[in-house]
Amino acid sequence: MLKMDFRYLLLSVCLVSGNAFAAAIGMPEQAGRWGYSLGVAYATVDDPDAATRHDWALRPLNLVYTDTWRYDTRYWGELFYQESALDAAPGKIGQESRQLGARLSLQKSVLLSPAIVPWLGVGLQLSYDQFQKRHTVDSDGYLIGTYPDRDGLHATLLLNMVLERRISRDWGGALKLEQAVPLAEGVSELVISAVLLYRY
Amino acid sequence: MLHKGLTAGVWMAAAVALSSCNGVPGSSDVDIPSQRPTGTVSGFVVDDPIATADVRVFAFDDGVKGALLASTTTDSTGAYSLELRSKDRPVLVEISGGYYNELLSGQRIELNGAQQLTAVSDYRSGQPLTTMVTPLTHLAAALAQYKIAQGGTVQAAITAANREVSQLFGVDVVATFPRSIAESGQGSPLSSEQLYGFQLAALASWSQWASDQNGAAAQSTFSTIALSQLMAADLRADGRLDGRGLNLNGDGLMDLAFGIVPLNADFYRVGLAQQLLTMAAHPLNRTAAAASDLLPVAQGMATRSAALLPVPASNSVGSFNIYSVEPESFYHNGTIAFALLVDHPGAVAAVRFELDGLWIGDAANPATPTVRIDTTAYSDGPHQLQVTAKNQLGDEVIRSFTLNIDNSAPFINLTSAPVTHQQDYLATFTVGDTSAGVWRLLVQDKQIPLQQGKGQVALTLSVGRNSIPVTIIDLAGNRHDTEMVVALDQTAPQFGAGGGHSQAQFDLAGTVTRAPLQDDNGVPLRIETARADLAGVVINRAALDSSAIPYFALSASEPLLDGVGSGSKVKVEARYEKEGVAVGGWRTVAAVGTEYLVPLATETLAPAWLEATPAVTQGVRVRLTDEAGNSSEKLFSFKTSFVVSPFTLKPVADLGEGFFGSTGFNSRAGLHNRRFAANSYSFTNNTGKAFYLRPSEAASHNASRHVETLVRKHNVRLKTATEWQVRAVVSTVTNTCPVLGEYQAVAEIQNHTSSGWQAQQPPAVVLGVEALVSSDTPTLPADHGVWSNLPHFDGEFATADINVGEAVYSFTFDYLVAGDSATAPLSPLYLAHWTKSVDSPGDCPELGPLLQQRKQYEYESLKIGEIQTPANFYASESEQKGFSGTQFTVHNDDTDQPIVDIAGWYLIPANHTITITKTLRTPELVVDNDLDVASASPVVGYTPHRYDKRIEWNIGREITLTAVHNAGYDNLPAMSSRTVTVGTGQRQYQISR
């Protein structure tokens, strides 16, 4: 049921027009680019009760908007919904995490060579996170005990790098490498994403 | 428009993706696994069945008793069953408490705190495990512990130990149910279950025999459970059943004994095998198994070269004995049936009789050996009857008896005691004759009536040897003159000192001294609780001395009177008394060489001796009884001051990390005034007895708050300059009185002194001491710049006369300053004491003093160090607070239950592992969080700004444990205590920004 609640919330966000979203973040809509990214993350949870494993998770639902702020600086925003499933191990809590939130980074282009001009950025992520099915197991995989579900609004520091390549006049592609470091009790992850961008 | 349409399309695609998938594509759910299945651990606890025993299952992962996994209690049949939720692991099943009834004596035995039975086994998660707990599994567990201590792996040690003990006793000791031999047998004559029952019955039989040897009440002290503890100690010490166990000092091996009965390889190899056969012949055996069925097992035990036994098996002589039913040296004639007794009838396989070296027959029933002898075939006189008995194990016992044969003349046999303490003595006797029969009997020439060959006569005896003349005449006319010898012994046996009492430690008001025991000891003996029991120590001087067990020693003698005495047959008995009241009955004291030793130990006294304060008078009353029935008694008295034996604590554990380490600095206020677990102290009570324990704090604890301060400082020095101003007299030579000019500053004046005019300057500039002020612009003193008149310096004036007409003015003046050079090159500042010679023009007013002074102040800002003040300074300060609020909790790790105190005293059971946890309450500290310090704001005042940087808590580990032997709670104040200080140093915890 909680998973469905997330979907309705995301759906309601999605049904707001792109113009309204662009306006909401204060940018002229014509100059920006929309995009969709698909990524994989090597994630773990900063759990207050014990450590958790690192595990791979798909990051398929990310909507991107980016636009120039100054001549070599831009902002990069995302709306996302993502889930992670971390198996338990001896001494490590297994759990499912669900996150609905937004990311905003400021990125600066850095000229490494005429052919390689990555965008390096820092940003902040705000997300509503749910952690469920929290439990521990013994060395044979049997359940030792369970912990209460927890949820909350969490802030996460972002460090990212984007390599972009124009495909056509309006379409472009990018690879994004991002490290998310929660400020407290969130999801820590290293994400690599492929992004498709469209200038409208 | 196109852009908007594409944007909406992207969002719609996302929405479709969300609604069409069950969750995020690619995500996977976490399935919470099921709990580990439980397994049933069950079995029976059997010595005879032990009811209401506590059964606890511990982890045995590292070969030592680990975490308690589950517990239950046995029912009346000794059965137990419990559910265990655990991974695959070795487990130790331990039972304590409860009671059982000895198979042979029926004595109800309650397990004391130090008595346990154990078993070790492998538990497979979720699978049922059947584990018996018996004296034999206890042996296997002890062997496993030895093997692990030698470096073997736990798994291998358990497997090998259970296998080796099972092989020795011919039955799987862990998995087989020991069926009592008192149950009717069904099916095969000897099932594994019945064999197990026989093995336990053999232990019971041996312990009863040993109990008899020790003169103890039926198996009350020398019980089967006590024997099994000793056997396990034997095996645990060196991995062999050789009668060698750890000594009481814990630093070497000693010979073990069950009271006065030594344990050795023969006991394990032959003794138990014999007892096995004995039990087969015992009336309690209701199985279908006979001795012949058990014979292979018994022979196997007696001859096996098992690893547990120290030497290869040999046909060593067993310990069974043969006794004659009748007194030796009886006269016989005709054909007789000579009967014998054997003390282990079931063990005897054959009995062979030889008379004068010639075989005369074998016993038809070896359990009750009898041989018929036709004495007429032999000459009159003594003949040697040799009996050779073989047990089922091949051991032989050979005894010779003197058989007196008299077929030619009648004879008389005295059947009453040949030695008596009664002067009026009734002699009873039998008479016999080979063929014709006795016709007449004369005793002291007096005819005695006979009835079926028996007669009696009352005699008055004299002290010493009495030879009573007897004449017997048979029907054939044979006359036989002989005598009956009866001794009158009215002298009681006498006590001797033997080799002297042992040394002992005495506790005289806390001062321990070592001295020999006396017959009457008014000063309490200091007894360490681990030495309050024999616990396998052999009763002889060497063993008792090396084990520091004190003992009374005595010898018994019987004076010979007229060659008659019974000194060699004095019976020595002892009885324990407490406050003059007998506790328990008399028990026989066996001779040790030429003396008798009475150790002060539970086995030789009574359990009640452990419940005595130093004020209680206790005693051992010894009774000597000779063959004539004379007896004498002597009381050896003593008092005891029991003190708990030393016990070793594990290293102190610091527990505060979880409390302090989990709190961020910003939440430091949450660490104030909070109780937390500081340290834990663990030990196993291996002192042999329960004791009361009272922990108390012996350390100090403090908290330090380190604060960074930011404060403005202004270091100044007050500079004081003095100025003068004068108002000079303008003219003194007119017809009018002098007038005054304006004030003007001067740097010097001329002062008239007794020695003339002298220059006088204002005081020099004065510099004050350095001082800190609380302002960038400190306020100047209130008299800054204020003029004030100066009083005359010294009262010395110059004089002058002025003629004005006829009048002459005389006056004095002083303080000259440079003036108008034309009129008054030096102008005075003081004119006074006017006098005139005529009335006109009259007096002038006094003028002066016209000198004023003021102070001009100035603060000079100075440096502090290299920094010019005023300036902001960072500094550190700290707040320190001691704290305590110590509380202790005591937890029994074996039962996983807390121990509740009685007025601060905790009762610690024997053999249990205990953890003491010390908790403290943190102090309340000030929280300073002035962000001006952190941001180094330039605007700060002269009041310090404080910013906490670091907090430290220093937790002292040292505590004092006061241990007092459990002689009952009410006796606590009267008992001696052992004080142990545990833990050193401090553990520091700190949090910082």
Side-chain angles (χ1 to χ4, degrees), chain B residues 598-675:
Chain B
V598 183
L600 299 187
T602 306
E603 292 91 337
T604 49
L605 300 177
W609 92 299
L610 298 167
E611 300 168 3
T613 68
V616 172
T617 300
Q618 305 173 73
V620 178
R621 185 174 297 279
V622 178
R623 181 172 66 189
L624 308 181
T625 306
D626 65 15
E627 194 179 10
N630 301 297
S631 67
S632 56
E633 294 185 3
K634 184 172 184 179
L635 179 66
F636 300 91
S637 63
F638 60 95
K639 296 176 178 177
T640 53
S641 173
F642 286 104
V643 62
V644 176
S645 290
F647 52 95
T648 304
L649 283 94
K650 296 174 185 171
V652 178
D654 299 311
L655 306 179
E657 189 59 43
F659 176 70
F660 293 109
S662 63
T663 303
F665 195 80
N666 289 337
S667 306
R668 60 190 180 282
L671 295 176
H672 296 170
N673 195 24
R674 289 271 309 278
R675 180 161 294 284

Side-chain angles (χ1 to χ4, degrees), chain A residues 27-73:
Chain A
M27 295 304 297
E29 63 201 62
Q30 295 84 355
R33 287 182 293 166
W34 286 96
Y36 166 77
S37 79
L38 175 65
V40 290
Y42 191 55
T44 187
V45 172
D46 182 10
D47 194 292
D49 292 308
T52 62
R53 287 179 53 176
H54 282 79
D55 219 339
W56 291 100
L58 197 60
R59 297 290 183 245
L61 290 180
N62 299 278
L63 295 179
V64 180
Y65 185 82
T66 181
D67 201 348
T68 302
W69 185 40
R70 291 182 180 173
Y71 71 98
D72 65 347
T73 307

Side-chain angles (χ1 to χ4, degrees), chain A residues 7 11 19 63 96 138 200, chain B residues 3-4 11 15 23 28 30 36:
Chain A
R7 290 181 198 158
L11 189 57
N19 291 347
L63 295 179
E96 290 179 359
D138 62 18
Y200 64 100
Chain B
H3 295 159
K4 290 183 179 176
W11 286 111
S28 59
V30 168
R36 183 182 289 278

